[in-house]
Amino acid sequence: MSQDLTTQWLTEIQSLKQQMVAIGRDRDAAWESAEKWRKLYNTEAEQRRTDTQLSQQAIASLKAELQKVQGLDTQALPDATAVTAIQQEIEQLQSVEELKTKLVTAIKERDRLLQALKTEQDNHAQTRDNLTTALGDAIDGWTRERVALEHDTQQAL
């Protein structure tokens, strides 16, 4: 009877040890999963902060360009000589037809410059998107490589 009781206790102890090992593995797996999600969250948060900063810079730049296009930039004609040159050019016009021709030329040039600005803005936006995507892909690849290295290191232990 004593031997049966000892065997029963030893079996119970062995069972508890196995349960502890299984619980330890589950805990380690949960910790690794939480760490993985924490890293992904931090990467995403950093990407969002970078995107926000780039967007704020782009908005400031576009506002400055818009002011220049609308003629609100006081630095566009910083000296009186530029204004005087424009006034002299206007005074040289002899007829309404010359004025109309000059106006049409100026409007065409403005439209060409606006189109060039729009093209440049579109190209800038595309480049920003491409760089953001490339950066995200690089971070994802680096994260996968790091996780694989950590996994290999833990298996070696």
Side-chain angles (χ1 to χ4, degrees):
M1 178 163 201
S2 169
Q3 189 173 5
D4 288 341
L5 190 57
T6 303
T7 305
Q8 183 180 7
W9 279 107
L10 289 175
T11 304
E12 183 68 24
I13 290 171
Q14 188 63 29
S15 173
L16 290 173
K17 281 183 180 180
Q18 290 174 352
Q19 287 177 5
M20 286 180 60
V21 168
I23 289 171
R25 279 194 302 258
D26 290 347
R27 181 205 59 217
D28 292 344
W31 187 86
E32 287 177 21
S33 177
E35 187 66 23
K36 173 186 148 194
W37 284 108
R38 190 176 305 111
K39 287 177 185 178
L40 289 173
Y41 173 81
N42 287 336
T43 301
E44 180 70 19
E46 183 63 32
Q47 182 66 39
R48 297 254 184 229
R49 284 190 290 274
T50 301
D51 288 348
T52 300
Q53 184 180 18
L54 290 174
S55 295
Q56 289 172 343
Q57 290 172 352
I59 288 169
S61 174
L62 290 173
K63 282 182 180 178
E65 288 180 39
L66 180 62
Q67 286 179 342
K68 285 181 183 180
V69 169
Q70 291 176 339
L72 301 175
D73 187 12
T74 57
Q75 296 177 355
L77 300 173
D79 58 358
T81 57
V83 174
T84 304
I86 292 171
Q87 288 173 342
Q88 287 176 352
E89 189 174 339
I90 291 171
E91 289 173 7
Q92 290 177 359
L93 300 174
Q94 298 295 321
S95 68
V96 174
E97 291 303 316
E98 287 180 4
L99 180 59
K100 286 180 181 179
T101 304
K102 194 69 161 174
L103 180 59
V104 167
T105 303
I107 290 172
K108 285 181 181 178
E109 179 66 10
R110 182 207 61 198
D111 290 346
R112 184 189 68 77
L113 290 172
L114 284 173
Q115 183 60 41
L117 176 62
K118 176 151 179 26
T119 301
E120 184 62 29
Q121 288 170 339
D122 291 345
N123 290 342
H124 177 75
Q126 182 65 38
T127 300
R128 185 179 65 240
D129 290 344
N130 290 343
L131 289 174
T132 300
T133 301
L135 182 59
D137 291 346
I139 289 172
D140 289 345
W142 177 73
T143 301
R144 283 191 299 273
E145 186 177 302
R146 187 170 172 204
V147 167
L149 180 62
E150 288 174 1
H151 180 70
D152 292 345
T153 303
Q154 287 179 354
Q155 284 184 346
L157 295 175

